[in-house]
Amino acid sequence: PNAVGKGTVQNLNYVPYRESKLTTILKQSLGGNSFTLMIACLAPIDCYTEENISTLNYAARAARISNAPSINMDPKLKEIMEQRRTIERLKQELKRAND
């Protein structure tokens, strides 16, 4: 099964991608920390009905992909921010203890 395929994904931490140029181009958007807008373009001619249905199915499956975005942060910067919060919390505790 693939991320936008008909199957289900067993491991929720890993999203496999099919081998296609479109999915490869959209890989970061579909499975990364991005907001994605997908526009499905259809042809109004009867001879493209099968392709239109395939396009709509792909777009519908892609719309069901759900991610929990997180902020991409340098581990060192994250540690510094956590240390600053800890220092601030300790200053507040010390101030309350001395009052």
Side-chain angles (χ1 to χ4, degrees), residues 4-77:
V4 291
K6 295 179 182 176
T8 59
V9 177
Q10 298 294 331
N11 183 351
L12 298 177
N13 294 326
Y14 173 73
V15 179
Y17 293 91
R18 67 183 180 143
E19 297 297 320
S20 77
K21 289 181 183 178
L22 177 61
T23 308
T24 302
I25 291 169
L26 295 174
K27 185 174 183 177
Q28 290 299 315
S29 298
L30 294 174
N33 293 328
S34 304
F35 290 104
T36 304
L37 172 68
M38 181 176 285
I39 300 172
C41 298
L42 307 175
I45 302 170
D46 289 341
C47 65
Y48 291 112
T49 302
E50 208 170 300
E51 187 174 332
N52 288 341
I53 291 170
S54 175
T55 299
L56 290 172
N57 287 334
Y58 180 86
R61 289 189 305 268
R64 287 193 298 264
I65 295 173
S66 175
N67 292 318
S70 61
I71 298 173
N72 293 329
M73 187 178 291
D74 178 37
K76 291 179 183 178
L77 181 59

Side-chain angles (χ1 to χ4, degrees), residues 63-91:
R64 287 193 298 264
I65 295 173
S66 175
N67 292 318
S70 61
I71 298 173
N72 293 329
M73 187 178 291
D74 178 37
K76 291 179 183 178
L77 181 59
K78 184 177 180 181
E79 180 67 27
I80 290 169
M81 291 176 66
E82 288 175 8
Q83 293 295 328
R84 285 182 179 165
R85 282 193 292 267
T86 302
I87 290 169
E88 194 59 39
R89 182 181 52 82
L90 292 171
K91 283 181 180 178

